[in-house]
Amino acid sequence: MTTYKKPNVLQPGDTVGVMTPSFPAPVRFPERYERGLQQLRQMGFRVIEGACAQTTEGYRSASIQARADEINAMIRDPEIKAIISTIVGKHEHLDTGGATFSFESLLLEVLGDVTFPIMTNVDIGHTFPSHVFPIGVDVELDATNGYHHTVREWGDTMNEFLTVVDERRKKIGLKQRADVHRDGDWHETFHCWIIEGDQLFLQLRSATKQDFPNRFDITAAGHLAAGETVRDGVREIHEELGIELTLDQLTALGVYEDVIETESFLDREFAHTYVYAYAGEPFTLESDEVADIVTVHRERFFALVAGEVASLDASSLVNEARYTLTKQQLVPHPDRYFQQVRIGIDGERHD
């Protein structure tokens, strides 16, 4: 068994190499390729493109030899800390009866004893999941038995870069999400509360979520990654709930401080907070993120978070489930945040 590991820390300012998959995606899909390069640069990385990035040879980007030379050059470049979107394709000189050559074996053939360069799918990546490894994941390759597995699985908080800001929301740098929460840095998020008449919608977080699993929370919310604006944050509504909306369809309530502290992290957010008057769209939940969407009486919900009532009833919007909610079952946003949301929603008079 040979284990190849890449250090888990990739910092803004580091150099990453963009290598061409066997399919000439940069030539066939130049807009997507440029979007991927832009994403990397917005995250603060210096990008070096591979020698075959802008080439095409029939159905593939370049010859086997050219692509072998490309990966070897990047592996041996001391500046390059990670290689992005590397798919070396089928080994055409091996008779496998139509099967593709073992990716693991070909990697071992090319790499030898060189430290394994972790690969990732940005926007330009080949998406065959067994061939694409996120930055920071440790991978074991077994050349004898012909398999690989990840030592540590990809998680939703791994190596996602956020923009760190100061108390006045002035940008001061970039940092990995896990480090931001560890150090208590201020950063920006997107929150959307969905209402219908006197009803407020809450999401039930999936049991597999790393933070606050099986708790009820804001209808849709998420972090703004490095380089993103609040307009990009609207994607959270579609990703979590399956509803396609634009920022123009939402009503801005304000930017509120939202600080949550636990034994393991300090989450200090400037939350760009919006409300949306539900128009009957069907929900399609992302099960890894959201287990259910429930409706609660709006005034009773705010009475619950204020400690004025002990519980309230909630009904699922996607099945027949019914719940009795206590404050302990909610994600512990601060009382001040809930007060501001309540004032904002009441001020819009969505009744």
Side-chain angles (χ1 to χ4, degrees), residues 190 192-194 201-204 217-221 234-245 276 278 281-287 289-294 317-318:
F190 170 85
C192 182
W193 293 86
I194 297 181
F201 296 0
L202 304 176
Q203 71 161 256
L204 174 60
D217 200 7
I218 302 158
T219 326
V234 181
R235 72 172 185 281
E236 297 291 343
I237 302 172
H238 181 259
E239 290 178 0
E240 294 184 354
L241 311 181
I243 300 176
E244 194 76 57
L245 298 175
Y276 174 66
Y278 185 58
E281 300 91 342
F283 290 102
T284 303
L285 304 183
E286 171 51 61
S287 59
E289 297 281 339
V290 182
D292 203 352
I293 289 290
V294 303
L317 289 169
V318 296

Side-chain angles (χ1 to χ4, degrees), residues 298-313:
R298 194 166 79 217
E299 289 304 312
R300 191 167 180 85
F301 171 79
F302 288 117
L304 177 73
V305 298
E308 299 168 3
V309 300
S311 64
L312 80 164
D313 295 329

